[in-house]
Amino acid sequence: MKNRLYPTWDEIKNFHNPLTEGEEKLARFLDDTLPEEWEIFVEPYLNGSRPDIVVFNPQVGVMIYEVKDWDLNSYIFKDKRLFEKSGSYPIKDPRKQVDHYRKKIIEQLVPPLGEEIDRNKLAFGLIKTGIYFHKVSGEDAREFFNNPAHPVIIGYDDLHDSNLEDILPYYAISKGKYMREEWAKEIKWWLAPPRHLKEQIRDFELTTKQKEHAEPRPGHFRLRGVVGSGKTLIVAYRAAKLASQGFNVLVITYNITLCHYIRDMIARAPFEFEWSKIRFDYFHGFCNDVLNELGVPPPKKTYFKDIARRVKYALETATKRGKNIEYLKFDAILIDEGQDYKWEWYNCLCQFLTERDELFLVCDKKQNIYERDLGWIDGKMRNVKFRGPWRELKTVCRLPKKIGDAANRFSIMFKLDQSVEVEKYVQLKLSERPPNPHLVWKNIQRDEWLDHIKNAYEQIKSAQLKSGEGHPSDIVILLPRKSMGMEAVEYFEKQGIEVNHVFEDEMESKYHRHKKAFWIGDSRLKMSTIHSFKGWEAVHVILLIPDKWRSGENLDALVYTAMTRTRENLIVLNCNEKYVEYGRSLPSEWDMQ
């Protein structure tokens, strides 16, 4: 029998959160007994939700299962609400859970299907639901819920071939009356695993050249590399290996969101280690924590200018008072996106190194969007202890050559740093099919930007449906400003498409709730500013270039950075007169390549 389980059993074994006993039991039963036309999705990504198991036949319909490893003797209904006998607060009724997933499909994700159900009640059976109780007999489970007609309720003793019709009521139907091909494609598009899931559940490997730079060693080292050469991967590998050797490590960035991304990478490193050995932070968050620990308030009016100086003062004051600050130190500090850093920040971090004194910094000067003076990294300042010449990476492993060449032409035309040049491309495959990258550049009017964003999203979705693989969470939309971001989020969520984004109002920005919840494994469509997505990557990138930009930041470097975030397809929507001529050299339509 061909594989019809998503992910495969080998991939499921590597889940960071293993299946429960009941989830594995039901999944294996369905895989062993259902006709091969039925596909099985284990913990699929469903636009922000994660049902336990979904089975799908494109000719027939969908069955959604919730799995509970409950002892129902520990639960009771009070006033039609479900409680644990030992608890005073109601818990979620699994019948409502599966009904929520069903409504999500018919009301939000595939609205035409919902409209058909409104017109014809017989089409209601296209989406069915069920609950499996792994530690309860089927009879007891059904009696507990007063033998409802819907959803299907089964227990451990129901898992027999002879009961298939009770477990999956329409399993024997080869072709239903109501399912349409376009609905089936949409449903599978939402259910199919994202590309990043396959990567998250397997260890990553480094090239020989990357491994040379990933080996821990005392001293201060700097590595510069072309975009997509694996700099962040090296940081992740080095951090994991250090932790596996018992060292305490600080992995530090400039923006908050990159911390989550690196943590996901480290989880895939081929080492056993204690997570308590690695701390992830962004520079200003780290400084705030240190000041709080030492009882020194942060500067207010001149926060960004004086934060490093205030930390130095706090450490000196604590030492004079006889306080032991060794517990604040690390055996190694690894800095990603080093071109975002100032000398004062590097100097500040050096105070948190133990005698082992390992500091490793990676950077790409072409992505110097904040126009930092980077002379300190080149060794032009005292108190900088980088040893030997620059280490370099010149092979691109992520970016498609077509897009890499276009980005390189952009960097030359707009005079970005050329100290490291690409020697070759060795793009790694994202799936079994060979990569088929598309690059589209449209020069547009500013007041048309949202319509073009919608069209770009639909174009990528159409390409995903045509190829039979892909997921909304493989797409990121990069927007220049928070106000535009909030407008785009509102539009998509009105269409029933949930969005994982970084845009925050004044109250939210105090706690960075959205930024802290922005991560690669989220099942929703992603939206971000270019700043917050720097260092990340996505299979498909939609970029909006603004007509105007604030001073103090390098828009050329910002555009270059955004163009190089993709792993396969890039659609650029340009409102800026400065880049119109450059864009004319590139295809303006998807079908032109």
Side-chain angles (χ1 to χ4, degrees):
M1 179 185 291
K2 67 178 182 179
N3 177 67
R4 42 70 173 281
L5 187 76
Y6 305 92
T8 66
W9 283 117
D10 285 342
E11 291 167 336
I12 288 172
K13 286 177 186 174
N14 292 319
F15 273 7
H16 296 318
N17 296 312
L19 299 185
T20 67
E21 188 178 296
E23 289 167 345
E24 181 169 349
K25 180 71 173 179
L26 180 60
R28 288 196 180 276
F29 172 79
L30 295 169
D31 194 25
D32 290 341
T33 57
L34 286 184
E36 64 178 17
E37 294 79 17
W38 287 90
E39 298 175 296
I40 303 165
F41 298 86
V42 178
E43 294 187 356
Y45 286 63
L46 195 64
N47 195 32
S49 299
R50 298 293 296 275
D52 290 331
I53 297 173
V54 177
V55 296
F56 171 58
N57 184 328
Q59 301 292 324
V60 181
V62 178
M63 184 78 174
I64 305 168
Y65 294 100
E66 182 69 16
V67 179
K68 297 298 183 188
D69 290 32
W70 288 357
D71 176 359
L72 287 179
N73 290 320
S74 300
Y75 296 84
I76 191 171
F77 277 101
K78 298 177 185 177
D79 300 323
K80 297 183 179 181
R81 294 187 297 172
L82 186 62
F83 290 79
E84 287 187 75
K85 287 182 178 178
S86 59
S88 57
Y89 294 97
I91 62 172
K92 186 173 288 186
D93 188 325
R95 294 173 298 179
K96 292 183 178 179
Q97 281 183 269
V98 290
D99 192 50
H100 170 75
Y101 301 141
R102 184 188 67 82
K103 287 180 177 177
K104 193 163 201 170
I105 292 174
I106 64 177
E107 294 177 3
Q108 296 181 19
L109 308 185
V110 193
L113 189 155
E115 292 170 5
E116 177 64 21
I117 290 173
D118 289 340
R119 287 191 296 267
N120 181 356
K121 297 303 179 186
L122 294 177
F124 184 84
L126 285 170
I127 313 289
K128 293 183 181 294
T129 56
I131 309 169
Y132 170 57
F133 290 93
H134 182 58
K135 296 182 177 179
V136 183
S137 71
E139 183 178 352
D140 288 346
R142 289 184 284 275
E143 184 178 339
F144 183 84
F145 289 96
N146 294 319
N147 296 297
H150 305 287
V152 169
I153 295 179
I154 53 177
Y156 65 84
D157 58 337
D158 291 318
L159 299 187
H160 296 288
D161 296 7
S162 57
N163 289 338
L164 265 179
E165 193 166 353
D166 294 326
I167 297 167
L168 180 60
Y170 41 27
Y171 89 95
I173 299 174
S174 59
K175 186 172 177 60
K177 294 181 180 178
Y178 304 107
M179 181 59 80
R180 296 181 187 174
E181 182 180 357
E182 61 270 27
W183 299 346
K185 285 183 177 179
E186 286 266 331
I187 290 169
K188 185 168 181 179
W189 185 64
W190 287 106
L191 292 173
R195 300 275 188 86
H196 60 74
L197 177 65
K198 290 183 175 290
E199 295 181 339
Q200 279 187 306
I201 57 182
R202 64 172 182 250
D203 292 349
F204 63 73
E205 296 181 3
L206 300 185
T207 66
T208 303
K209 189 70 174 175
Q210 289 169 338
K211 249 181 194 176
E212 290 177 13
H213 305 301
E215 287 299 320
R217 56 179 61 84
H220 291 216
F221 302 94
R222 56 196 170 159
L223 170 68
R224 62 187 180 189
V226 295
V227 68
S229 55
K231 298 182 293 297
T232 301
L233 209 60
I234 288 169
V235 168
Y237 184 100
R238 191 162 178 153
K241 189 160 187 178
L242 280 160
S244 74
Q245 295 171 348
F247 294 116
N248 291 311
V249 188
L250 171 63
V251 178
I252 195 161
T253 63
Y254 177 62
N255 67 55
I256 299 174
T257 53
L258 189 54
C259 295
H260 316 322
Y261 185 68
I262 296 176
R263 192 186 191 286
D264 283 343
M265 280 191 171
I266 291 176
R268 295 171 46 217
F271 301 104
E272 294 290 332
F273 59 88
E274 296 292 332
W275 279 103
S276 61
K277 291 289 181 182
I278 305 177
R279 175 171 175 177
F280 306 87
D281 219 328
Y282 63 106
F283 180 75
H284 293 93
F286 174 75
C287 291
N288 288 340
D289 286 348
V290 169
L291 293 175
N292 181 65
E293 182 70 19
L294 299 179
V296 176
K300 292 184 179 179
K301 293 182 180 179
T302 57
Y303 178 86
F304 289 100
K305 180 182 178 183
D306 292 335
I307 185 67
R309 197 177 309 161
R310 183 64 60 91
V311 170
K312 181 181 179 182
Y313 164 78
L315 291 174
E316 290 174 348
T317 302
T319 302
K320 287 178 182 177
R321 291 175 178 172
K323 183 176 177 63
N324 185 352
I325 61 172
E326 290 302 308
Y327 73 100
L328 293 172
K329 295 186 177 182
F330 301 87
D331 300 303
I333 296 178
L334 313 182
I335 304 173
D336 197 12
E337 299 291 323
Q339 73 277 352
D340 294 342
Y341 274 63
K342 300 178 180 181
W343 174 80
E344 292 88 351
W345 300 355
Y346 159 82
N347 196 40
C348 175
L349 291 174
C350 288
Q351 299 171 89
F352 293 92
L353 283 167
T354 64
E355 290 183 0
R356 188 173 178 279
D357 197 34
E358 176 173 347
L359 185 141
F360 182 67
L361 175 147
V362 302
C363 77
D364 176 3
K365 291 186 180 180
K366 287 183 183 179
Q367 298 183 55
N368 183 12
I369 65 176
Y370 302 108
E371 297 190 313
R372 307 287 196 217
D373 178 359
L374 300 180
W376 68 272
I377 302 181
D378 290 321
K380 296 177 181 177
M381 297 183 71
R382 298 176 185 177
N383 303 325
V384 177
K385 300 190 291 184
F386 291 123
R387 296 183 180 176
W390 273 100
R391 296 164 169 235
E392 294 185 343
L393 290 172
K394 298 184 178 183
T395 299
V396 178
C397 301
R398 165 172 54 83
L399 199 65
K401 187 176 187 303
K402 175 191 293 187
I403 295 170
D405 287 345
N408 193 50
R409 288 197 305 273
F410 182 94
S411 75
I412 293 170
M413 180 178 290
F414 297 101
K415 298 180 173 54
L416 299 180
D417 183 89
Q418 301 295 320
S419 56
V420 187
E421 296 184 1
V422 175
E423 285 186 350
K424 61 180 177 178
Y425 290 85
V426 184
Q427 191 186 6
L428 304 177
K429 283 188 177 182
L430 291 166
S431 62
E432 294 304 313
R433 67 175 179 81
N436 181 30
H438 286 69
L439 169 57
V440 174
W441 184 292
K442 287 179 178 288
N443 293 317
I444 66 171
Q445 298 299 312
R446 185 193 183 284
D447 58 358
E448 299 172 347
W449 71 270
L450 187 54
D451 287 335
H452 283 283
I453 290 286
K454 302 175 204 170
N455 293 338
Y457 170 82
E458 290 297 333
Q459 179 62 74
I460 290 175
K461 177 181 176 182
S462 175
Q464 288 178 319
L465 290 171
K466 188 175 181 180
S467 69
E469 64 178 38
H471 191 275
S473 68
D474 293 326
I475 304 170
V476 65
I477 299 173
L478 299 180
L479 297 158
R481 285 185 282 274
K482 180 181 72 174
S483 58
M484 301 176 93
M486 295 302 288
E487 189 174 345
V489 169
E490 182 181 6
Y491 166 77
F492 278 90
E493 291 191 339
K494 280 183 178 178
Q495 307 303 309
I497 300 169
E498 295 188 27
V499 181
N500 183 209
H501 66 89
V502 302
F503 310 113
E504 299 170 335
D505 59 28
E506 187 174 345
M507 180 61 69
E508 291 168 333
S509 65
K510 292 181 179 179
Y511 306 101
H512 296 304
R513 179 173 65 86
H514 286 295
K515 288 184 178 179
K516 290 176 180 176
F518 188 82
W519 65 295
I520 197 69
D522 192 281
S523 66
R524 297 167 289 177
L525 169 69
K526 294 177 177 61
M527 288 191 197
S528 175
T529 59
I530 301 169
H531 299 77
S532 290
F533 206 72
K534 196 159 65 66
W536 288 61
E537 59 186 43
V539 182
H540 314 284
V541 172
I542 299 168
L543 164 64
L544 178 67
I545 303 175
D547 56 336
K548 297 177 182 177
W549 195 244
R550 53 183 171 264
S551 61
E553 290 186 357
N554 187 337
L555 182 58
D556 301 335
L558 202 67
V559 172
Y560 172 83
T561 299
M563 289 176 66
T564 56
R565 298 305 92 205
T566 186
R567 296 188 65 178
E568 186 159 341
N569 296 313
L570 171 66
I571 299 178
V572 180
L573 306 171
N574 172 49
C575 304
N576 198 303
E577 188 66 30
K578 181 178 184 180
Y579 306 120
V580 167
E581 195 58 38
Y582 167 81
R584 285 181 179 143
S585 66
L586 299 172
S588 59
E589 299 295 337
W590 188 271
D591 297 329
M592 291 173 65
Q593 31 233 302

